[in-house]
Amino acid sequence: MSEIPPAIVLFSHGSRDPLWRAPIEAVAARIASQYPDQPVQCAYLELCEPTLAQATELLSQQGSTHITVVPMFLGTGKHAREDLPLLVEQLRSRHQSVQFTIQGAIGEDQRMTALMAEIACDSSITTPNP
């Protein structure tokens, strides 16, 4: 039996609008496609499910003993700086056999900054006016 790799939780704010969740879910689908043995779940702070607690419970039930939470925010604002660490502390109390790691906000990674700059300068990308 092979060891389960650390699970990934893509953590974002959340929205009632299902279209808002599409990019986060697309990242999860890409991870699942490119790394089929990599457990991955989306989780949201509010307004939609699954919550971080629900995603953690599911991954724990699937045998994950290490979960990396990836804040899908452009910067380290209040949610990433204050709310997320409190939520993870609660999860550590509930899931003592699970190791939790919190990555930095995805938007602060230099690779993401470079990609966003490249996209911003690409005049071939257009969006229809509302």
Side-chain angles (χ1 to χ4, degrees), residues 9 23 30 38 89 115:
V9 175
R30 185 161 185 151
Q38 176 69 63
E89 278 308 309
L115 181 58

Side-chain angles (χ1 to χ4, degrees), residues 17-40:
D17 184 345
L19 294 178
W20 178 92
R21 295 189 299 263
I24 305 300
E25 292 169 357
V27 173
R30 185 161 185 151
I31 291 169
S33 172
Q34 290 183 326
Y35 308 96
D37 294 332
Q38 176 69 63
V40 61

Side-chain angles (χ1 to χ4, degrees), residues 5-113:
I8 296 172
V9 175
L10 303 173
F11 180 72
S12 195
H13 187 273
S15 173
R16 288 180 189 91
D17 184 345
L19 294 178
W20 178 92
R21 295 189 299 263
I24 305 300
E25 292 169 357
V27 173
R30 185 161 185 151
I31 291 169
S33 172
Q34 290 183 326
Y35 308 96
D37 294 332
Q38 176 69 63
V40 61
Q41 289 289 316
C42 296
Y44 304 98
L45 179 63
E46 59 188 18
L47 304 174
C48 57
E49 293 184 341
T51 64
L52 184 57
Q54 290 167 332
T56 297
E57 183 64 34
L58 178 63
L59 291 166
S60 178
Q61 288 174 0
Q62 293 173 349
S64 292
T65 58
H66 183 181
I67 296 174
T68 299
V69 181
V70 182
M72 300 296 283
F73 301 115
L74 288 179
T76 306
K78 181 182 180 294
H79 293 315
R81 191 178 56 251
E82 296 176 18
D83 299 333
L84 180 56
L86 289 174
L87 290 170
V88 170
E89 278 308 309
Q90 293 169 0
L91 293 172
R92 283 184 175 125
S93 295
R94 256 185 262 146
H95 301 276
Q96 295 181 3
S97 63
V98 177
Q99 177 186 350
F100 289 90
T101 304
I102 303 174
Q103 284 189 357
I106 198 97
E108 293 183 354
D109 185 293
Q110 292 179 357
R111 294 167 293 178
M112 183 59 74
T113 303

